[in-house]
Amino acid sequence: MNNLAMLLAFVDEKLVGLQACFIVDEGQTFVRQAMRFAPDLQGRGLSRKLSQAMDAYVRKNFPSVRRLRFTNYVYREYSSATKMVLELDKLGYRVEHLPLDPHMPCSMKNSELVSCTKKYFSEVILSRAFSHKLFPLNVVIVDWCPFEALCSNIDYILQDDDLLLTERCNEYEMPRSFSFGRLSPKAKVTEWIVSVYTDDPRLF
């Protein structure tokens, strides 16, 4: 991907850390993620230095960028220029087996969830009439990565095996919710990560 960059940190020629970023939102935003450092070097201010190096790299190589976005488990004030755009609740469950059938409808009171296509996501979910209603400040977060709700971001937002769900409705109705599901491999486990968006209180 030509919009992806990764910086590596070395101490005495030994790899001790890394950070990645990618450019989205039609070149306006860079997203920082995947900050990692060797455990024995944490707490020494190296992450700040690596982030500053990443910021300088982006300013030099992507002059159209106007803002930085990132996600964090706990909100805190990073600087006077930092603004919280979206706050999400997080629930976690441990499961031994995940029976995943993207074509199997899911029952819900007074409704039915069905999988939808990438085309439907682009033409309906990301349409102006729907996206501004459903996505706060027009921001979509998938697997901890924030994106502007733009059709031009669709290839960055979605992966081939993502599961997209919405209510079954006719062509004249707008769905009340939308959700992403993704298998996300981690160091010790594989996480099934779901982001759910709705403005209907009955679905909370």
PDB file of all heavy atoms in Angstrom, residues 135-167:
ATOM      1  N   PHE A 135     -23.224   7.998  11.714  1.00  0.00           N
ATOM      2  CA  PHE A 135     -21.845   8.074  12.189  1.00  0.00           C
ATOM      3  C   PHE A 135     -21.571   9.446  12.804  1.00  0.00           C
ATOM      4  O   PHE A 135     -21.542  10.453  12.094  1.00  0.00           O
ATOM      5  CB  PHE A 135     -20.867   7.813  11.045  1.00  0.00           C
ATOM      6  CG  PHE A 135     -21.076   6.489  10.367  1.00  0.00           C
ATOM      7  CD1 PHE A 135     -21.311   6.421   9.004  1.00  0.00           C
ATOM      8  CD2 PHE A 135     -21.050   5.311  11.093  1.00  0.00           C
ATOM      9  CE1 PHE A 135     -21.507   5.203   8.378  1.00  0.00           C
ATOM     10  CE2 PHE A 135     -21.252   4.089  10.481  1.00  0.00           C
ATOM     11  CZ  PHE A 135     -21.480   4.032   9.117  1.00  0.00           C
ATOM     12  N   PRO A 136     -21.357   9.507  14.111  1.00  0.00           N
ATOM     13  CA  PRO A 136     -21.106  10.789  14.780  1.00  0.00           C
ATOM     14  C   PRO A 136     -19.908  11.515  14.170  1.00  0.00           C
ATOM     15  O   PRO A 136     -18.848  10.936  13.972  1.00  0.00           O
ATOM     16  CB  PRO A 136     -20.823  10.376  16.228  1.00  0.00           C
ATOM     17  CG  PRO A 136     -21.492   9.040  16.382  1.00  0.00           C
ATOM     18  CD  PRO A 136     -21.367   8.374  15.043  1.00  0.00           C
ATOM     19  N   LEU A 137     -20.100  12.771  13.854  1.00  0.00           N
ATOM     20  CA  LEU A 137     -19.058  13.600  13.243  1.00  0.00           C
ATOM     21  C   LEU A 137     -18.483  12.961  11.983  1.00  0.00           C
ATOM     22  O   LEU A 137     -17.348  13.223  11.598  1.00  0.00           O
ATOM     23  CB  LEU A 137     -17.938  13.891  14.248  1.00  0.00           C
ATOM     24  CG  LEU A 137     -18.362  14.715  15.467  1.00  0.00           C
ATOM     25  CD1 LEU A 137     -17.178  14.951  16.379  1.00  0.00           C
ATOM     26  CD2 LEU A 137     -18.959  16.040  15.034  1.00  0.00           C
ATOM     27  N   ASN A 138     -19.288  12.090  11.362  1.00  0.00           N
ATOM     28  CA  ASN A 138     -18.915  11.457  10.094  1.00  0.00           C
ATOM     29  C   ASN A 138     -17.655  10.596  10.217  1.00  0.00           C
ATOM     30  O   ASN A 138     -16.866  10.475   9.274  1.00  0.00           O
ATOM     31  CB  ASN A 138     -18.706  12.513   9.003  1.00  0.00           C
ATOM     32  CG  ASN A 138     -19.068  11.985   7.625  1.00  0.00           C
ATOM     33  OD1 ASN A 138     -19.987  11.183   7.478  1.00  0.00           O
ATOM     34  ND2 ASN A 138     -18.341  12.419   6.615  1.00  0.00           N
ATOM     35  N   VAL A 139     -17.458   9.983  11.387  1.00  0.00           N
ATOM     36  CA  VAL A 139     -16.278   9.147  11.640  1.00  0.00           C
ATOM     37  C   VAL A 139     -16.707   7.696  11.821  1.00  0.00           C
ATOM     38  O   VAL A 139     -17.643   7.402  12.561  1.00  0.00           O
ATOM     39  CB  VAL A 139     -15.515   9.621  12.891  1.00  0.00           C
ATOM     40  CG1 VAL A 139     -14.387   8.654  13.246  1.00  0.00           C
ATOM     41  CG2 VAL A 139     -14.950  11.014  12.652  1.00  0.00           C
ATOM     42  N   VAL A 140     -16.005   6.791  11.140  1.00  0.00           N
ATOM     43  CA  VAL A 140     -16.235   5.356  11.256  1.00  0.00           C
ATOM     44  C   VAL A 140     -14.985   4.732  11.873  1.00  0.00           C
ATOM     45  O   VAL A 140     -13.869   5.000  11.417  1.00  0.00           O
ATOM     46  CB  VAL A 140     -16.488   4.713   9.875  1.00  0.00           C
ATOM     47  CG1 VAL A 140     -16.742   3.214  10.027  1.00  0.00           C
ATOM     48  CG2 VAL A 140     -17.644   5.385   9.173  1.00  0.00           C
ATOM     49  N   ILE A 141     -15.165   3.909  12.906  1.00  0.00           N
ATOM     50  CA  ILE A 141     -14.030   3.218  13.518  1.00  0.00           C
ATOM     51  C   ILE A 141     -14.193   1.723  13.289  1.00  0.00           C
ATOM     52  O   ILE A 141     -15.201   1.129  13.670  1.00  0.00           O
ATOM     53  CB  ILE A 141     -13.924   3.517  15.019  1.00  0.00           C
ATOM     54  CG1 ILE A 141     -13.629   5.002  15.235  1.00  0.00           C
ATOM     55  CG2 ILE A 141     -12.835   2.664  15.671  1.00  0.00           C
ATOM     56  CD1 ILE A 141     -13.472   5.407  16.680  1.00  0.00           C
ATOM     57  N   VAL A 142     -13.191   1.135  12.646  1.00  0.00           N
ATOM     58  CA  VAL A 142     -13.188  -0.298  12.370  1.00  0.00           C
ATOM     59  C   VAL A 142     -11.867  -0.873  12.872  1.00  0.00           C
ATOM     60  O   VAL A 142     -10.795  -0.423  12.450  1.00  0.00           O
ATOM     61  CB  VAL A 142     -13.347  -0.581  10.861  1.00  0.00           C
ATOM     62  CG1 VAL A 142     -13.363  -2.083  10.603  1.00  0.00           C
ATOM     63  CG2 VAL A 142     -14.618   0.061  10.324  1.00  0.00           C
ATOM     64  N   ASP A 143     -11.946  -1.845  13.758  1.00  0.00           N
ATOM     65  CA  ASP A 143     -10.741  -2.471  14.322  1.00  0.00           C
ATOM     66  C   ASP A 143      -9.778  -1.409  14.856  1.00  0.00           C
ATOM     67  O   ASP A 143      -8.579  -1.439  14.601  1.00  0.00           O
ATOM     68  CB  ASP A 143     -10.060  -3.344  13.259  1.00  0.00           C
ATOM     69  CG  ASP A 143      -9.047  -4.312  13.860  1.00  0.00           C
ATOM     70  OD1 ASP A 143      -8.965  -4.384  15.103  1.00  0.00           O
ATOM     71  OD2 ASP A 143      -8.335  -4.975  13.091  1.00  0.00           O
ATOM     72  N   TRP A 144     -10.331  -0.444  15.589  1.00  0.00           N
ATOM     73  CA  TRP A 144      -9.568   0.612  16.250  1.00  0.00           C
ATOM     74  C   TRP A 144      -8.969   1.633  15.287  1.00  0.00           C
ATOM     75  O   TRP A 144      -8.142   2.448  15.704  1.00  0.00           O
ATOM     76  CB  TRP A 144      -8.459   0.030  17.136  1.00  0.00           C
ATOM     77  CG  TRP A 144      -8.998  -0.760  18.274  1.00  0.00           C
ATOM     78  CD1 TRP A 144      -9.129  -2.115  18.334  1.00  0.00           C
ATOM     79  CD2 TRP A 144      -9.535  -0.256  19.499  1.00  0.00           C
ATOM     80  NE1 TRP A 144      -9.703  -2.489  19.521  1.00  0.00           N
ATOM     81  CE2 TRP A 144      -9.958  -1.372  20.263  1.00  0.00           C
ATOM     82  CE3 TRP A 144      -9.686   1.016  20.037  1.00  0.00           C
ATOM     83  CZ2 TRP A 144     -10.527  -1.241  21.526  1.00  0.00           C
ATOM     84  CZ3 TRP A 144     -10.248   1.146  21.295  1.00  0.00           C
ATOM     85  CH2 TRP A 144     -10.657   0.024  22.024  1.00  0.00           C
ATOM     86  N   CYS A 145      -9.374   1.629  14.029  1.00  0.00           N
ATOM     87  CA  CYS A 145      -8.851   2.597  13.066  1.00  0.00           C
ATOM     88  C   CYS A 145      -9.953   3.578  12.673  1.00  0.00           C
ATOM     89  O   CYS A 145     -11.004   3.156  12.186  1.00  0.00           O
ATOM     90  CB  CYS A 145      -8.323   1.894  11.817  1.00  0.00           C
ATOM     91  SG  CYS A 145      -6.871   0.880  12.119  1.00  0.00           S
ATOM     92  N   PRO A 146      -9.741   4.877  12.869  1.00  0.00           N
ATOM     93  CA  PRO A 146     -10.769   5.870  12.520  1.00  0.00           C
ATOM     94  C   PRO A 146     -10.655   6.334  11.066  1.00  0.00           C
ATOM     95  O   PRO A 146      -9.567   6.594  10.560  1.00  0.00           O
ATOM     96  CB  PRO A 146     -10.449   7.026  13.481  1.00  0.00           C
ATOM     97  CG  PRO A 146      -8.968   6.925  13.703  1.00  0.00           C
ATOM     98  CD  PRO A 146      -8.605   5.468  13.586  1.00  0.00           C
ATOM     99  N   PHE A 147     -11.807   6.430  10.409  1.00  0.00           N
ATOM    100  CA  PHE A 147     -11.873   6.888   9.024  1.00  0.00           C
ATOM    101  C   PHE A 147     -12.997   7.900   8.878  1.00  0.00           C
ATOM    102  O   PHE A 147     -14.014   7.820   9.575  1.00  0.00           O
ATOM    103  CB  PHE A 147     -12.169   5.730   8.062  1.00  0.00           C
ATOM    104  CG  PHE A 147     -11.194   4.595   8.111  1.00  0.00           C
ATOM    105  CD1 PHE A 147     -11.399   3.521   8.961  1.00  0.00           C
ATOM    106  CD2 PHE A 147     -10.071   4.589   7.297  1.00  0.00           C
ATOM    107  CE1 PHE A 147     -10.510   2.460   9.004  1.00  0.00           C
ATOM    108  CE2 PHE A 147      -9.175   3.533   7.332  1.00  0.00           C
ATOM    109  CZ  PHE A 147      -9.392   2.466   8.186  1.00  0.00           C
ATOM    110  N   GLU A 148     -12.840   8.818   7.943  1.00  0.00           N
ATOM    111  CA  GLU A 148     -13.962   9.646   7.519  1.00  0.00           C
ATOM    112  C   GLU A 148     -14.927   8.746   6.741  1.00  0.00           C
ATOM    113  O   GLU A 148     -14.501   7.839   6.021  1.00  0.00           O
ATOM    114  CB  GLU A 148     -13.468  10.775   6.624  1.00  0.00           C
ATOM    115  CG  GLU A 148     -14.439  11.920   6.485  1.00  0.00           C
ATOM    116  CD  GLU A 148     -14.349  12.924   7.617  1.00  0.00           C
ATOM    117  OE1 GLU A 148     -13.469  12.779   8.484  1.00  0.00           O
ATOM    118  OE2 GLU A 148     -15.166  13.852   7.624  1.00  0.00           O
ATOM    119  N   ALA A 149     -16.227   8.974   6.911  1.00  0.00           N
ATOM    120  CA  ALA A 149     -17.224   8.148   6.224  1.00  0.00           C
ATOM    121  C   ALA A 149     -17.328   8.589   4.763  1.00  0.00           C
ATOM    122  O   ALA A 149     -18.300   9.220   4.343  1.00  0.00           O
ATOM    123  CB  ALA A 149     -18.576   8.254   6.922  1.00  0.00           C
ATOM    124  N   LEU A 150     -16.307   8.250   3.980  1.00  0.00           N
ATOM    125  CA  LEU A 150     -16.223   8.627   2.570  1.00  0.00           C
ATOM    126  C   LEU A 150     -16.131   7.385   1.701  1.00  0.00           C
ATOM    127  O   LEU A 150     -15.455   6.416   2.058  1.00  0.00           O
ATOM    128  CB  LEU A 150     -14.972   9.486   2.324  1.00  0.00           C
ATOM    129  CG  LEU A 150     -14.846  10.800   3.093  1.00  0.00           C
ATOM    130  CD1 LEU A 150     -13.466  11.405   2.860  1.00  0.00           C
ATOM    131  CD2 LEU A 150     -15.929  11.770   2.668  1.00  0.00           C
ATOM    132  N   CYS A 151     -16.762   7.434   0.541  1.00  0.00           N
ATOM    133  CA  CYS A 151     -16.671   6.308  -0.395  1.00  0.00           C
ATOM    134  C   CYS A 151     -15.230   6.074  -0.844  1.00  0.00           C
ATOM    135  O   CYS A 151     -14.835   4.942  -1.122  1.00  0.00           O
ATOM    136  CB  CYS A 151     -17.561   6.562  -1.608  1.00  0.00           C
ATOM    137  SG  CYS A 151     -19.331   6.524  -1.249  1.00  0.00           S
ATOM    138  N   SER A 152     -14.434   7.124  -0.902  1.00  0.00           N
ATOM    139  CA  SER A 152     -13.042   6.983  -1.328  1.00  0.00           C
ATOM    140  C   SER A 152     -12.209   6.195  -0.323  1.00  0.00           C
ATOM    141  O   SER A 152     -11.108   5.736  -0.644  1.00  0.00           O
ATOM    142  CB  SER A 152     -12.419   8.362  -1.551  1.00  0.00           C
ATOM    143  OG  SER A 152     -12.487   9.143  -0.367  1.00  0.00           O
ATOM    144  N   ASN A 153     -12.722   6.015   0.896  1.00  0.00           N
ATOM    145  CA  ASN A 153     -12.001   5.255   1.925  1.00  0.00           C
ATOM    146  C   ASN A 153     -12.366   3.774   1.941  1.00  0.00           C
ATOM    147  O   ASN A 153     -11.805   3.016   2.737  1.00  0.00           O
ATOM    148  CB  ASN A 153     -12.296   5.825   3.316  1.00  0.00           C
ATOM    149  CG  ASN A 153     -11.416   7.008   3.666  1.00  0.00           C
ATOM    150  OD1 ASN A 153     -10.312   7.146   3.146  1.00  0.00           O
ATOM    151  ND2 ASN A 153     -11.908   7.859   4.543  1.00  0.00           N
ATOM    152  N   ILE A 154     -13.277   3.355   1.100  1.00  0.00           N
ATOM    153  CA  ILE A 154     -13.866   2.029   1.265  1.00  0.00           C
ATOM    154  C   ILE A 154     -12.829   0.909   1.195  1.00  0.00           C
ATOM    155  O   ILE A 154     -12.895  -0.068   1.937  1.00  0.00           O
ATOM    156  CB  ILE A 154     -15.003   1.799   0.240  1.00  0.00           C
ATOM    157  CG1 ILE A 154     -15.784   0.532   0.601  1.00  0.00           C
ATOM    158  CG2 ILE A 154     -14.467   1.752  -1.184  1.00  0.00           C
ATOM    159  CD1 ILE A 154     -17.087   0.393  -0.148  1.00  0.00           C
ATOM    160  N   ASP A 155     -11.825   1.042   0.332  1.00  0.00           N
ATOM    161  CA  ASP A 155     -10.818  -0.014   0.225  1.00  0.00           C
ATOM    162  C   ASP A 155      -9.868  -0.026   1.416  1.00  0.00           C
ATOM    163  O   ASP A 155      -9.182  -1.023   1.656  1.00  0.00           O
ATOM    164  CB  ASP A 155     -10.018   0.140  -1.070  1.00  0.00           C
ATOM    165  CG  ASP A 155     -10.849  -0.203  -2.297  1.00  0.00           C
ATOM    166  OD1 ASP A 155     -11.745  -1.060  -2.177  1.00  0.00           O
ATOM    167  OD2 ASP A 155     -10.607   0.384  -3.368  1.00  0.00           O
ATOM    168  N   TYR A 156      -9.803   1.066   2.163  1.00  0.00           N
ATOM    169  CA  TYR A 156      -9.004   1.100   3.383  1.00  0.00           C
ATOM    170  C   TYR A 156      -9.826   0.611   4.578  1.00  0.00           C
ATOM    171  O   TYR A 156      -9.293   0.002   5.501  1.00  0.00           O
ATOM    172  CB  TYR A 156      -8.503   2.519   3.661  1.00  0.00           C
ATOM    173  CG  TYR A 156      -7.708   3.120   2.531  1.00  0.00           C
ATOM    174  CD1 TYR A 156      -8.001   4.388   2.048  1.00  0.00           C
ATOM    175  CD2 TYR A 156      -6.664   2.420   1.937  1.00  0.00           C
ATOM    176  CE1 TYR A 156      -7.270   4.948   1.007  1.00  0.00           C
ATOM    177  CE2 TYR A 156      -5.936   2.964   0.896  1.00  0.00           C
ATOM    178  CZ  TYR A 156      -6.243   4.231   0.437  1.00  0.00           C
ATOM    179  OH  TYR A 156      -5.518   4.771  -0.594  1.00  0.00           O
ATOM    180  N   ILE A 157     -11.128   0.893   4.551  1.00  0.00           N
ATOM    181  CA  ILE A 157     -11.995   0.503   5.665  1.00  0.00           C
ATOM    182  C   ILE A 157     -12.223  -1.001   5.689  1.00  0.00           C
ATOM    183  O   ILE A 157     -12.137  -1.641   6.740  1.00  0.00           O
ATOM    184  CB  ILE A 157     -13.352   1.236   5.573  1.00  0.00           C
ATOM    185  CG1 ILE A 157     -13.163   2.749   5.732  1.00  0.00           C
ATOM    186  CG2 ILE A 157     -14.322   0.714   6.626  1.00  0.00           C
ATOM    187  CD1 ILE A 157     -14.433   3.549   5.510  1.00  0.00           C
ATOM    188  N   LEU A 158     -12.509  -1.580   4.520  1.00  0.00           N
ATOM    189  CA  LEU A 158     -12.937  -2.974   4.458  1.00  0.00           C
ATOM    190  C   LEU A 158     -11.809  -3.915   4.073  1.00  0.00           C
ATOM    191  O   LEU A 158     -10.935  -3.571   3.278  1.00  0.00           O
ATOM    192  CB  LEU A 158     -14.081  -3.127   3.450  1.00  0.00           C
ATOM    193  CG  LEU A 158     -15.367  -2.359   3.747  1.00  0.00           C
ATOM    194  CD1 LEU A 158     -16.412  -2.675   2.689  1.00  0.00           C
ATOM    195  CD2 LEU A 158     -15.899  -2.677   5.138  1.00  0.00           C
ATOM    196  N   GLN A 159     -11.867  -5.125   4.637  1.00  0.00           N
ATOM    197  CA  GLN A 159     -11.015  -6.229   4.226  1.00  0.00           C
ATOM    198  C   GLN A 159     -11.892  -7.320   3.622  1.00  0.00           C
ATOM    199  O   GLN A 159     -13.106  -7.342   3.822  1.00  0.00           O
ATOM    200  CB  GLN A 159     -10.219  -6.768   5.419  1.00  0.00           C
ATOM    201  CG  GLN A 159      -9.250  -5.758   6.005  1.00  0.00           C
ATOM    202  CD  GLN A 159      -8.466  -6.299   7.182  1.00  0.00           C
ATOM    203  OE1 GLN A 159      -8.596  -7.465   7.555  1.00  0.00           O
ATOM    204  NE2 GLN A 159      -7.643  -5.450   7.772  1.00  0.00           N
ATOM    205  N   ASP A 160     -11.266  -8.233   2.896  1.00  0.00           N
ATOM    206  CA  ASP A 160     -12.027  -9.219   2.126  1.00  0.00           C
ATOM    207  C   ASP A 160     -12.967 -10.061   2.984  1.00  0.00           C
ATOM    208  O   ASP A 160     -14.065 -10.417   2.551  1.00  0.00           O
ATOM    209  CB  ASP A 160     -11.072 -10.142   1.363  1.00  0.00           C
ATOM    210  CG  ASP A 160     -10.356  -9.420   0.227  1.00  0.00           C
ATOM    211  OD1 ASP A 160     -10.849  -8.358  -0.195  1.00  0.00           O
ATOM    212  OD2 ASP A 160      -9.306  -9.918  -0.221  1.00  0.00           O
ATOM    213  N   ASP A 161     -12.557 -10.408   4.199  1.00  0.00           N
ATOM    214  CA  ASP A 161     -13.354 -11.314   5.027  1.00  0.00           C
ATOM    215  C   ASP A 161     -14.234 -10.597   6.042  1.00  0.00           C
ATOM    216  O   ASP A 161     -14.790 -11.235   6.943  1.00  0.00           O
ATOM    217  CB  ASP A 161     -12.428 -12.293   5.759  1.00  0.00           C
ATOM    218  CG  ASP A 161     -11.700 -13.216   4.794  1.00  0.00           C
ATOM    219  OD1 ASP A 161     -12.281 -13.533   3.739  1.00  0.00           O
ATOM    220  OD2 ASP A 161     -10.556 -13.613   5.086  1.00  0.00           O
ATOM    221  N   ASP A 162     -14.382  -9.285   5.933  1.00  0.00           N
ATOM    222  CA  ASP A 162     -15.242  -8.555   6.863  1.00  0.00           C
ATOM    223  C   ASP A 162     -16.696  -8.985   6.708  1.00  0.00           C
ATOM    224  O   ASP A 162     -17.156  -9.303   5.605  1.00  0.00           O
ATOM    225  CB  ASP A 162     -15.149  -7.049   6.616  1.00  0.00           C
ATOM    226  CG  ASP A 162     -13.849  -6.459   7.129  1.00  0.00           C
ATOM    227  OD1 ASP A 162     -13.110  -7.166   7.837  1.00  0.00           O
ATOM    228  OD2 ASP A 162     -13.563  -5.289   6.821  1.00  0.00           O
ATOM    229  N   LEU A 163     -17.407  -8.972   7.821  1.00  0.00           N
ATOM    230  CA  LEU A 163     -18.844  -9.251   7.820  1.00  0.00           C
ATOM    231  C   LEU A 163     -19.580  -7.941   8.059  1.00  0.00           C
ATOM    232  O   LEU A 163     -19.339  -7.253   9.055  1.00  0.00           O
ATOM    233  CB  LEU A 163     -19.187 -10.260   8.916  1.00  0.00           C
ATOM    234  CG  LEU A 163     -20.670 -10.615   9.078  1.00  0.00           C
ATOM    235  CD1 LEU A 163     -21.203 -11.273   7.812  1.00  0.00           C
ATOM    236  CD2 LEU A 163     -20.869 -11.529  10.282  1.00  0.00           C
ATOM    237  N   LEU A 164     -20.478  -7.580   7.143  1.00  0.00           N
ATOM    238  CA  LEU A 164     -21.249  -6.342   7.237  1.00  0.00           C
ATOM    239  C   LEU A 164     -22.706  -6.703   7.468  1.00  0.00           C
ATOM    240  O   LEU A 164     -23.279  -7.490   6.717  1.00  0.00           O
ATOM    241  CB  LEU A 164     -21.115  -5.525   5.952  1.00  0.00           C
ATOM    242  CG  LEU A 164     -19.698  -5.339   5.399  1.00  0.00           C
ATOM    243  CD1 LEU A 164     -19.739  -4.537   4.107  1.00  0.00           C
ATOM    244  CD2 LEU A 164     -18.802  -4.679   6.416  1.00  0.00           C
ATOM    245  N   LEU A 165     -23.309  -6.125   8.497  1.00  0.00           N
ATOM    246  CA  LEU A 165     -24.685  -6.459   8.853  1.00  0.00           C
ATOM    247  C   LEU A 165     -25.547  -5.211   8.948  1.00  0.00           C
ATOM    248  O   LEU A 165     -25.098  -4.165   9.424  1.00  0.00           O
ATOM    249  CB  LEU A 165     -24.730  -7.184  10.202  1.00  0.00           C
ATOM    250  CG  LEU A 165     -24.130  -8.587  10.280  1.00  0.00           C
ATOM    251  CD1 LEU A 165     -24.160  -9.086  11.715  1.00  0.00           C
ATOM    252  CD2 LEU A 165     -24.866  -9.547   9.368  1.00  0.00           C
ATOM    253  N   THR A 166     -26.784  -5.354   8.517  1.00  0.00           N
ATOM    254  CA  THR A 166     -27.782  -4.306   8.693  1.00  0.00           C
ATOM    255  C   THR A 166     -29.157  -4.961   8.711  1.00  0.00           C
ATOM    256  O   THR A 166     -29.280  -6.176   8.544  1.00  0.00           O
ATOM    257  CB  THR A 166     -27.681  -3.256   7.576  1.00  0.00           C
ATOM    258  OG1 THR A 166     -28.524  -2.149   7.885  1.00  0.00           O
ATOM    259  CG2 THR A 166     -28.076  -3.844   6.232  1.00  0.00           C
ATOM    260  N   GLU A 167     -30.216  -4.168   8.943  1.00  0.00           N
ATOM    261  CA  GLU A 167     -31.560  -4.748   8.956  1.00  0.00           C
ATOM    262  C   GLU A 167     -32.035  -5.054   7.541  1.00  0.00           C
ATOM    263  O   GLU A 167     -31.677  -4.356   6.595  1.00  0.00           O
ATOM    264  CB  GLU A 167     -32.570  -3.778   9.594  1.00  0.00           C
ATOM    265  CG  GLU A 167     -32.416  -3.588  11.075  1.00  0.00           C
ATOM    266  CD  GLU A 167     -31.519  -2.397  11.360  1.00  0.00           C
ATOM    267  OE1 GLU A 167     -31.287  -1.583  10.456  1.00  0.00           O
ATOM    268  OE2 GLU A 167     -31.040  -2.298  12.488  1.00  0.00           O
TER     269      GLU A 167
END
